[in-house]
Amino acid sequence: MQTIDAAMLWTPAGWRSDAGFDCDGDGRIQALDRAEPTAGAGWIVPGIPNLHSHAFQRAMAGLAERRTLDGPAGAAPRDAHDSFWTWRETMYRMAARFDPDTLHAVAAQLYVEMLEAGYTSVCEFHYLHHAPDGKPYADPAAMSRALIAAAREAGIRLTLLPVLYMSGGFDGRALGERQRRFGHDVDAFLALLETLRSAEDASLRIGCALHSLRAVPADAMRALLAALPRALPRHIHIAEQVGEVQDCLALRGARPVEWLLANAEVDARWTLVHATHLDEAEVQGIARSGATVALCPTTEANLGDGLFPLRDYLDAGGAFGIGSDSQISVSPVEELRWLEYGQRLATRHRNIAVDGVSPSVGETLLRGVLASGGHASGQPVGRLEPGACADWLVLDTDAPQFAGVQAADAVDRWLFSGNRNLVREVHVGGRRVVAEGRHLAREAIAARYRETLRTLLAAA
């Protein structure tokens, strides 16, 4: 048992200067204690849950920023129309180069970066199941095991979400050549889940994901949901693109979120990823269901997806979290900052994400992402209370950005003050994995990543 004293401890009600907590040998919090502020102790915050990640895409960050689709002959560059769908072609080419060893190396580097930034748990949305030619590996779970090994090496808490991916569109077309490594039928997918669930331990939870409505036929979705253990977390990409909404309307007679709410028991077990393009009824429907929306503002901006209707969703009482998704940024600060800034640009007003609990944008956003982590991950994360995972951050209050810091402005300074990383220490399951802003295994994991990335890029 270790006792952690805090100069200031973040709780859902705000900062406390009179509290610490006890952490047992299994990495769980046993008690929240009253304590006098300890000289030299830190300002402690629960670790941030990352609700949506594609680890392999860390290897292509920065490599899809050149125009790939020309406009009409002689047209100006502004008339070209790169989009998510053209970006996807680059992603497919990179995905085809991965095997279990390269996936392990890239994921371990990514997870180190997440921990240094303040993410202590990650929901990994994993669809690179088979060899590039679509044939299963001798161990059908080899790619999943690579992610599990990478998470354990880095020390991050993992909710692995194997993805069911069956068709190439709402019309039921077969998977394309570059999509075949993603594919399963329902029975094979359920067998994979059962195999992986035997590996669960104190830092690993297995959930499940449907890639999207366009990739999972309606009958297959119903068969899968009927067969899943009831408590299993379930995630889905949905309503990310206008084209997806239009296709769903044309072929299923309803908008994607509208259709899902009418055809599945959507509740707090569900995480809807992106949900960018919603009408008012869908906003209200998600909020009433108790589902979480996983927002990935840096990826959604990078892909040109659009803006989520955040103010309407907050007014409806909806739950939300954040994810690093395509890994063009691995920073909860940047995700939260741009979640707010996108709304400011759209409305031409300031301080949009506030609620009746606090006038602080930073505190509202922080409470939101911490509160949603447990449902989305299936693990008791995002809070420092008895029974919860002992995952916490110590902020670097010696940094210039925190000079003269007070409880009323600490979170806003962390999230809206410059670009220096203000996380000094990170603990997962009571074990310190980041000290003075650096992961304890940073150098060895980075050296392997550099060599692996050179190999992946040479395969172009």
Side-chain angles (χ1 to χ4, degrees), residues 324-346:
S324 58
D325 195 355
S326 67
Q327 323 306 344
I328 55 99
S329 175
V330 185
S331 166
V333 167
E334 190 168 11
E335 300 300 339
L336 293 173
R337 190 177 290 181
W338 279 102
L339 180 56
E340 168 69 14
Y341 284 173
Q343 306 300 311
R344 295 186 185 188
L345 290 169

Side-chain angles (χ1 to χ4, degrees), residues 38-291:
T38 302
W43 289 53
I44 292 178
V45 181
I48 306 297
N50 185 334
L51 301 192
H52 191 64
S53 167
H54 302 295
F56 78 93
Q57 292 179 21
R58 174 63 183 85
M60 61 175 282
L63 299 180
E65 307 306 318
R66 301 176 70 87
R67 195 178 71 189
T68 59
L69 182 68
D70 292 329
R78 66 177 176 271
D79 296 321
H81 299 290
D82 261 7
S83 68
F84 165 83
W85 307 103
T86 52
W87 168 88
R88 192 173 70 161
E89 296 301 307
T90 303
M91 182 271 287
Y92 283 160
R93 288 194 294 273
M94 179 61 78
R97 303 171 196 172
F98 275 83
D99 61 23
D101 289 339
T102 52
L103 183 59
H104 180 169
V106 171
Q109 173 65 24
L110 171 66
Y111 295 156
V112 163
E113 294 172 5
M114 286 184 185
L115 287 162
E116 289 183 343
Y119 291 121
T120 52
S121 62
V122 58
C123 296
E124 184 63 46
F125 200 101
H126 167 56
Y127 53 82
L128 295 188
H129 297 302
H130 309 306
D133 61 3
K135 295 179 181 178
Y137 288 102
D139 173 7
M143 295 292 275
S144 294
R145 295 191 203 282
L147 291 165
I148 293 169
R152 287 175 173 161
E153 181 181 19
I156 199 166
R157 191 176 303 282
L158 176 66
T159 297
L160 181 62
L161 303 165
V163 172
L164 180 61
Y165 201 130
M166 299 180 69
S167 61
F170 280 103
D171 58 5
R173 75 191 74 163
L175 295 177
E177 180 181 356
R178 288 171 299 179
Q179 296 170 316
R180 285 203 296 265
R181 75 178 308 183
F182 311 158
H184 279 107
D185 62 28
V186 172
D187 288 342
F189 181 72
L190 288 169
L192 174 65
L193 290 183
E194 189 62 27
T195 296
L196 292 171
R197 290 183 70 209
S198 68
E200 288 186 330
D201 60 20
S203 62
L204 172 66
R205 180 85 161 94
I206 304 299
C208 127
L210 296 82
H211 178 270
S212 54
L213 293 182
R214 70 178 184 272
V216 180
D219 289 347
M221 183 194 80
R222 294 186 183 102
L224 172 67
L225 296 179
L228 289 178
R230 181 164 180 81
L232 213 68
R234 47 210 68 188
H235 291 223
I236 185 171
H237 291 135
I238 197 162
E240 179 180 4
Q241 297 293 325
V242 171
E244 175 192 348
V245 176
Q246 293 170 336
D247 288 350
C248 194
L249 277 165
L251 292 166
R252 296 198 184 179
R255 299 169 60 85
V257 169
E258 176 189 13
W259 189 93
L260 183 68
L261 292 171
N263 287 273
E265 186 185 343
V266 178
D267 55 22
R269 297 168 297 173
W270 283 80
T271 297
L272 310 188
V273 182
H274 304 304
T276 306
H277 301 287
L278 305 176
D279 65 17
E280 183 178 351
E282 290 172 311
V283 169
Q284 296 292 329
I286 297 173
R288 284 195 303 268
S289 76

Side-chain angles (χ1 to χ4, degrees), residues 1 15 39 66 73 152 168 233 267 316 320 351 364 366 371 376 391 412:
M1 186 79 71
W15 293 105
R66 301 176 70 87
R152 287 175 173 161
D267 55 22
F320 71 94
N351 300 329
T364 301
L366 180 61
D391 303 346
D412 289 324

